[in-house]
Amino acid sequence: MMLEIKNLTVAYGLNNKIKFNSMEIDNQKINVIYGENGCGKSTLLKAINDLIPIDSGNILIDNLVHTKKDSQRKICSFFDKERLFDFLTPKEYFELIVSNYSNKPKKLEKYYEAVEKDFKRNWFHGKNSIKSYSDGNRQLIGILCTFFAEPEIILLDEPFNFLDNETKKKLADFIIDYHKEKNTMIILSSNIAMEDYFPVDVLNIIN
């Protein structure tokens, strides 16, 4: 799979525009859009996800101009823990989101087992709503749900926010294993060095 950014400009505010250099992103490595806060990382991901309008230029997926239908069918993203449906339990939330990405029901038990084993989170047997959990747990719930949906493209905006160092490492290992198994296009944004958590040979750093 190939995603192409061609002479992209996104307007924000009254008279401001962000211009992005043309680039090609594929699914061979885990892609990290790296830069300081305010440089436009989140804006680019939101444009790819069709959450904000493009002023000029194009986004292409496998040589076809990206459409809203593509974003709904192919892309699952995490931008902010405050966007979760936090009145649901984690299990209810996962089932709701995943149901939007396939006409066939997916078996989520393997993911529930992985979360309990690898992350030591016991989210799936109680009736606690998402809003009752800590910021770090809510962040992790939102991130993991994008993988449970098994989309063609995963977008994660600053995924390591609010996570402790041990959970960051576990999440990095989960992402690496998932990418090896599914060969999904994964794009992260970050203002911290991802080389601290991922082997260099699995990363494509985009500045």
Side-chain angles (χ1 to χ4, degrees):
M1 174 171 284
M2 178 69 70
L3 187 149
E4 297 174 76
I5 308 295
K6 291 186 174 291
N7 302 315
L8 194 67
T9 303
V10 179
Y12 69 98
L14 294 176
N15 300 304
N16 298 310
K17 294 182 179 180
I18 300 179
K19 295 182 179 180
F20 298 97
N21 295 329
S22 295
M23 67 183 79
E24 295 182 352
I25 302 173
D26 62 31
N27 60 340
Q28 300 307 303
K29 292 186 176 183
I30 297 165
N31 300 281
V32 178
I33 299 173
Y34 179 77
E36 297 180 355
N37 290 337
C39 70
K41 304 185 301 296
S42 299
T43 299
L44 178 58
L45 293 187
K46 288 177 181 177
I48 294 171
N49 206 172
D50 202 40
L51 296 177
I52 56 176
I54 295 170
D55 191 58
S56 63
N58 280 310
I59 298 173
L60 284 75
I61 299 178
D62 287 342
N63 295 315
L64 299 175
V65 174
H66 176 42
T67 66
K68 191 173 188 68
K69 185 177 180 180
D70 289 328
S71 66
Q72 294 171 340
R73 183 167 53 89
K74 295 183 177 182
I75 301 174
C76 195
S77 61
F78 174 79
F79 286 95
D80 189 338
K81 61 183 174 55
E82 304 304 330
R83 293 172 178 261
L84 303 177
F85 301 142
D86 60 6
F87 55 89
L88 299 175
T89 67
K91 189 173 183 179
E92 289 169 340
Y93 179 73
F94 290 139
E95 290 172 349
L96 173 65
I97 299 301
V98 168
S99 68
N100 291 325
Y101 284 86
S102 176
N103 292 325
K104 299 178 181 178
K106 291 188 173 75
K107 294 183 178 180
L108 297 178
E109 285 75 14
K110 65 175 181 178
Y111 288 119
Y112 297 156
E113 291 172 0
V115 170
E116 292 177 346
K117 177 183 176 182
D118 299 335
F119 293 94
K120 309 302 185 210
R121 264 53 172 198
N122 188 15
W123 292 332
F124 310 111
H125 303 295
K127 296 183 179 180
N128 291 334
S129 63
I130 293 172
K131 64 183 177 183
S132 70
Y133 289 97
S134 67
D135 287 346
N137 274 297
R138 291 167 66 206
Q139 178 88 357
L140 191 59
I141 287 167
I143 292 166
L144 292 177
C145 190
T146 64
F147 293 90
F148 289 14
E150 299 182 354
E152 295 182 48
I153 300 172
I154 292 174
L155 307 177
L156 303 175
D157 190 25
E158 302 283 2
F160 285 2
N161 285 352
F162 306 105
L163 303 182
D164 59 64
N165 288 333
E166 182 181 0
T167 305
K168 289 176 183 177
K169 184 63 174 69
K170 289 179 178 178
L171 178 59
D173 290 343
F174 177 89
I175 293 172
I176 291 168
D177 291 343
Y178 185 96
H179 183 258
K180 286 180 180 178
E181 178 185 354
K182 302 291 186 182
N183 201 30
T184 301
M185 180 181 290
I186 301 174
I187 307 175
L188 321 178
S189 73
S190 180
N191 60 3
I192 62 174
M194 288 287 99
E195 295 91 338
D196 293 342
Y197 301 100
F198 296 91
V200 174
D201 61 348
V202 307
L203 292 176
N204 175 36
I205 304 295
I206 304 167
N207 292 300

